[in-house]
Amino acid sequence: MSILIQARKRISKFLSAFFRKKKARIGIYGPPNAGKTTLANRIAKDWTGEDVGLVSEIPHETRRAVRKADISITGSNGSVITIDIVDTPGVTTKIDYRDFLEYGMDKETAIARAREATEGVAEAMHWLREDIDGVIYMLDSTEDPFMQVNIMMIGIIESRKLPVIIVANKIDLPDAMPQRIRSAFPQHPVVPVSCTEGRNIEDLYEKMVQYFG
């Protein structure tokens, strides 16, 4: 664990104990391959030195909700939030096993993966209805944000009156257009980031302290 992470962990633990803020459970939602697990790993690594889950280019690598508890994040003004991060499976309106065959899987494995992914989506929606206090909605800024699943999910989150931060990921790619996401959802804060490079990730932490604290 690096000296920076150790220092962050000690400071956040001290401030969290001092202020005794209520812990919030924050779900990371979004379509498959938007970078949800990469972000969960980035947050957990930066503040605890540990990862949350595996990352893959194959859609639906995360097929069960995974929780990382007791992450304390400190803002630039000294404010602290302590959260449980819930990394959820990619939400989509259709999961077809044939999509996995393109990645070299045999039919049996692809069908099993599609079944697990479908169950994972149902589980993620259960968490959203029952156990989530706030949402980070993750979008790939190279993709069209006006997809049906995004409109549906933002509508569900708004109906539950949950605080939401929209993250426009993959701004390191040449065809990234985070402004399209801002245009699609002007009613919510949008933070452009590159989770793989860590670009603008500090801006996201500031926004998390502000919105989820």
Side-chain angles (χ1 to χ4, degrees):
M1 189 182 299
S2 72
I3 294 175
L4 176 60
I5 292 173
Q6 289 179 1
R8 270 183 156 174
K9 193 174 178 180
R10 282 198 296 271
I11 292 170
S12 291
K13 187 176 180 180
F14 168 76
L15 291 173
S16 179
F18 184 79
F19 290 107
R20 297 189 181 281
K21 291 272 184 94
K22 178 186 175 184
K23 185 166 65 176
R25 188 168 294 168
I26 306 302
I28 302 178
Y29 283 81
N33 279 16
K36 296 179 295 301
T37 302
T38 304
L39 176 62
N41 283 339
R42 169 71 64 174
I43 295 171
K45 195 83 172 180
D46 282 352
W47 297 97
T48 71
E50 300 172 355
D51 285 330
V52 173
L54 298 175
V55 176
S56 169
E57 65 174 5
I58 305 174
H60 298 287
E61 179 66 26
T62 302
R63 298 187 292 283
R64 287 287 182 273
V66 179
R67 186 178 68 167
K68 176 68 178 173
D70 297 326
I71 299 175
S72 294
I73 297 175
T74 306
S76 59
N77 64 355
S79 298
V80 181
I81 57 168
T82 299
I83 60 174
D84 290 353
I85 283 286
V86 182
D87 179 27
T88 67
V91 178
T92 181
T93 54
K94 180 183 179 184
I95 300 174
D96 190 330
Y97 79 90
R98 287 169 290 198
D99 293 339
F100 302 126
L101 300 178
E102 301 174 6
Y103 295 90
M105 290 185 184
D106 59 64
K107 185 175 179 179
E108 184 178 353
T109 303
I111 290 174
R113 189 181 183 95
R115 183 172 57 248
E116 291 172 1
T118 301
E119 293 171 353
V121 170
E123 181 187 34
M125 298 309 295
H126 173 79
W127 277 79
L128 185 60
R129 288 193 302 271
E130 304 292 338
D131 296 310
I132 294 295
D133 302 309
V135 174
I136 294 174
Y137 197 74
M138 196 79 179
L139 289 171
D140 181 340
S141 61
T142 69
E143 300 286 340
D144 178 9
F146 290 97
M147 291 191 299
Q148 180 184 356
V149 65
N150 296 331
I151 303 299
M152 178 192 74
M153 286 299 297
I154 291 296
I156 292 172
I157 294 164
E158 289 176 342
S159 71
R160 286 217 55 219
K161 303 186 187 307
L162 295 172
V164 56
I165 299 171
I166 297 176
V167 173
N169 191 27
K170 306 187 183 182
I171 60 170
D172 53 299
L173 299 181
D175 49 351
M177 296 182 66
Q179 63 271 26
R180 287 193 304 184
I181 296 175
R182 284 198 174 97
S183 298
F185 305 107
Q187 71 274 37
H188 297 295
V190 175
V191 183
V193 304
S194 167
C195 288
T196 55
E197 295 183 353
R199 198 186 307 175
N200 287 356
I201 203 73
E202 295 294 335
D203 292 346
L204 176 59
Y205 293 150
E206 290 294 328
K207 196 66 75 176
M208 289 174 68
V209 171
Q210 179 184 348
Y211 269 71
F212 300 143

